[in-house]
Structures are given as structure tokens and as C-alpha cells.
Amino acid sequence: MSDSEKKALSGLTLDQLVEFATESGLPAFRGKQLHSWIYAKYARTFDEMTDLSLEVRELLKSKATIQLLKLAHLEVSRDGTRKYLFELPDGKFVESVLMSFDDRPSLSACVSSQVGCAVGCTFCATGFLGFKRNLSPQEIVDQVMSVQRESGQRISNIVYMGQGEPLLNVDNVVHSIRTLMASVGIGARHITVSTSGIIAGIRALSREGLQITLALSLHAPDDATRDVIVPINKKFSVAELIDATHEYYEATGRRITVEYVLLAGVTDSPEQARELAELVRNLHCNVNLIPYNPTRAEDGVVTYARPSLDAQHRFRKIAESTGKTVTIRLERGTDINAACGQLHNSYVAGP
Ligand code: SF4
């Protein structure tokens, strides 16, 4: 059996691993041992599983592999950010990012939920790819495990902010979150799902009763601007979106994160800062401003300019006038292809 025909085990739930063990003629507890080796000890090979007999290891090698995703490319930034491009079993690619922060001991992984994306935000290299397909729960979880195996470091926070719109793949995303909690040991409060504003998905997530953080990629306070830069806004208006996030807070008690990209001359005016402040006045939220990270024009993305530091701080001061906490995102990996979709596009299209 070639490796591509074997069953990949990383990213499977405990029940799935027990099922694999019994289907392979092994006792159920072998599934539990596999679970421990994969999730607690980051095993890369069956030979490392020293509490399994040689015979069992040989059987496993003949039927299975550990990793589902193949590392195709890795870029490491001067600030320690690691950006991964993984090849999926069908030859498509997705990106994941590992971020560390000097002021915190914890490590965060940013994972993708789809190959490409149908939302088509004009400032995003992934949007330019168009939608290819949803990722399976296993493909999402194995991004985290592959990053942990490669880096040898334990991840404590997960953000669904890579390629794709997580709430257009909500069932698989929820399944992956439950596996990350149960198998990888990541607490719900350390998981953030970022959405461009899929109202049905926000409501579906509310019903799950998970204590995860919802990040709303608002990016503009008015429909006229948002219709252009986040085209899905034509289906779900800003007012409807804000209502849905109120509902999410009511259902979960979790404060919303409002993400807002600062594009010079497009979303950074003092008037827009005032509108933003009013819009979120009654919402239990923090606001995170993201100064635009320029993408390469040849990616096909509309090229925007980054606001000056003065413009960023002026916007922040106005936006926090109604008492909200407003932060300007600390940038990671600016010397590598760190923005969503950039690494994929430069790798697939050639540097
Ligand atoms: S920013 Fe997110 S939602 Fe928008 S096109 Fe890119 S991946 Fe899709």
C-alpha cells in the first residue's frame, strides 16, 4: 500500500482512533495509546511508540501514516513568526501561521478553514483565489498538530483567521473545535473564530454553547464602503451583522472582537472612526485596528496604502471615545509573506 492510500491518523478524534484500531484487528485500548502518542507526545513515526510491540508497529505502518498534511514550504520571520504552507491529500495547499509574542508566554496558531474563499474581500490575496473547497475537521486539526510537531512547541491559542470563511464551513469548524478541545487540550476560551459576517453561521455557532470568542471582521462602519471591500455585505448589512453579534453575546456571554482594517483613504477617515464608535457603543466588544499589510500587486489584489502612524492613532483616539478598548494590532511576520493568502499565491504562482 502506498502512503497516499494509507489512513492518516493525526487530526482524528479518540473515537475514530479506537474505531481504526478495532477495524485493524487490535484491541480498543490501542486506539487510546495512539491518541496519547499523537496528541500528547507529538509522535512523528510509529517507531517512537515504544509501548507498542514491534509486531503492532509493523501492522500500523502497513495500514496508516501519522501525518495527513505534508509541509511544502516554511518561512520564518525575524520576529519568530513561522508561516507554513501545507499540501493536502488532493494536492491543494493551505496556510497556517505560528505566532509568539514577547509579552506573553503563550503561542498562537492561525489556521485555515477552506481552500480559497468565496467572500472576495478586495484587500485579501486569498479572496483573489476564489473558493476551491471546504477543509475537513481532520485537515483543520492536523494543521495545529503539524505546527506543534514541526516547531516542537505547545500551542495554547487558536485563531480561525487563515484562508477561508470559517462560518461558510461551520459544521466542520465546530467539529474541529471540539477535537481541539478534547484531544489537543485547548480551552474554548483560547479559541477565536473570525467571520466576515455570515449571519446564519453566527447563529449556528451561538447554538453550540461553546465559550469561544467571535471576531467580526467589520472593516467599515457603513454599507456603502463595506459593500465594496467585503462584497458579502450586499447580502448581510452592517446593521443586521451588529444585531447578530449582540445575539452571540447574549447566548454565550463572550465579548466580541471587532476587527477593522485601516486602508488609507478608504476606511481611515475621522468620520468613519466616529461612525464605528457609535455603531459599537452598546456592543460588548473590544475593537482591534489592523493597519493594512500591503500585498503584491501581481496577486491580483486591489492594492491599498497603509495609513500613516498619525492617521492610525487619530482613528484610534476617536474610535475609543465611547469607552471601548481599541487596540492597534501588533504586527507579526512583516518580512515574510504573512498576510492571508500571500504565501500560497507566491508558492503556487512562483516567487
Ligand atoms: S479576508 Fe477572509 S473572508 Fe475575506 S476573502 Fe480573505 S479569507 Fe475570505
Side-chain angles (χ1 to χ4, degrees):
M1 197 186 276
S2 70
D3 272 4
S4 60
E5 292 167 305
K6 294 178 185 173
K7 189 169 184 74
L9 304 184
S10 178
L12 296 183
T13 62
L14 175 59
D15 285 351
Q16 289 170 323
L17 288 168
V18 168
E19 190 183 326
F20 164 76
T22 52
E23 281 175 0
S24 305
L26 297 169
F29 75 87
R30 294 291 184 209
K32 290 188 185 158
Q33 285 177 300
L34 284 170
H35 187 270
S36 165
W37 277 106
I38 291 168
Y39 290 110
K41 299 171 192 160
Y42 310 158
R44 295 158 196 256
T45 66
F46 292 112
D47 286 328
E48 292 169 51
M49 303 182 181
T50 46
D51 55 357
L52 304 182
S53 68
L54 191 57
E55 191 187 348
V56 170
R57 281 185 260 156
E58 290 305 318
L59 175 79
L60 291 170
K61 277 190 235 174
S62 72
K63 289 176 168 290
T65 60
I66 293 180
Q67 291 175 208
L68 176 71
L69 308 182
K70 267 197 254 165
L71 180 61
H73 190 71
L74 170 64
E75 289 188 2
V76 182
S77 162
R78 283 189 294 272
D79 65 23
T81 301
R82 300 171 86 78
K83 182 138 188 177
Y84 300 82
L85 187 73
F86 291 116
E87 185 176 351
L88 300 164
D90 64 358
K92 295 188 166 53
F93 296 89
V94 284
E95 300 172 4
S96 315
V97 182
L98 176 66
M99 296 163 287
S100 55
F101 298 90
D102 294 341
D103 58 340
R104 291 172 239 166
S106 57
L107 287 174
S108 297
C110 173
V111 296
S112 295
S113 56
Q114 298 181 313
V115 182
C117 183
V119 174
C121 300
T122 53
F123 51 82
C124 169
T126 299
F128 179 69
L129 284 177
F131 174 69
K132 304 289 186 228
R133 71 169 173 86
N134 284 332
L135 294 186
S136 68
Q138 187 184 8
E139 287 169 332
I140 298 172
V141 175
D142 197 37
Q143 290 174 60
V144 177
M145 293 312 300
S146 295
V147 169
Q148 293 196 140
R149 280 191 296 266
E150 187 285 324
S151 66
Q153 303 192 76
R154 190 179 183 284
I155 290 164
S156 45
N157 297 290
I158 305 287
V159 290
Y160 286 74
M161 238 177 238
Q163 290 175 276
E165 165 49 65
L167 297 188
L168 287 177
N169 185 19
V170 69
D171 290 347
N172 289 352
V173 163
V174 167
H175 184 130
S176 70
I177 288 170
R178 293 197 183 282
T179 308
L180 288 170
M181 290 167 62
S183 294
V184 188
I186 295 173
R189 287 167 179 261
H190 296 273
I191 298 175
T192 297
V193 170
S194 173
T195 180
S196 60
I198 310 298
I199 289 180
I202 294 174
R203 295 198 171 124
L205 206 55
S206 308
R207 289 192 293 273
E208 293 293 328
L210 292 165
Q211 287 288 295
I212 59 176
T213 301
L214 180 71
L216 173 66
S217 297
L218 185 64
H219 302 327
D222 60 285
D223 285 320
T225 309
R226 198 165 192 272
D227 281 354
V228 174
I229 62 172
V230 186
I232 205 151
N233 193 67
K234 291 175 194 148
K235 283 194 187 165
F236 311 105
S237 70
V238 167
E240 289 172 300
L241 261 187
I242 296 297
D243 284 350
T245 52
H246 275 290
E247 289 171 29
Y248 187 85
Y249 176 79
E250 294 303 324
T252 63
R254 297 289 293 156
R255 187 175 287 274
I256 309 295
T257 299
V258 173
E259 308 275 1
Y260 189 104
V261 67
L262 289 171
L263 307 171
V266 181
T267 63
D268 68 338
S269 73
E271 181 52 31
Q272 285 164 316
R274 275 187 285 278
E275 279 184 66
L276 175 63
E278 280 309 315
L279 192 64
V280 301
R281 180 190 279 274
N282 298 318
L283 185 65
H284 293 270
C285 71
N286 300 320
V287 178
N288 195 8
L289 303 177
I290 309 161
Y292 177 65
N293 187 18
T295 51
R296 305 178 318 163
E298 61 266 38
D299 285 337
V301 181
V302 178
T303 47
Y304 294 100
R306 181 187 180 87
S308 66
L309 276 180
D310 276 356
Q312 293 175 28
H313 290 293
R314 184 184 59 207
F315 192 97
R316 175 186 178 172
K317 208 165 170 11
I318 300 170
E320 63 192 8
S321 60
T322 56
K324 295 288 180 241
T325 301
V326 180
T327 49
I328 297 177
R329 182 185 285 177
L330 182 64
E331 284 193 288
R332 315 300 298 168
T334 48
D335 55 324
I336 59 175
N337 286 302
C340 163
Q342 282 182 328
L343 179 58
H344 178 288
N345 291 6
S346 64
Y347 187 81
V348 173

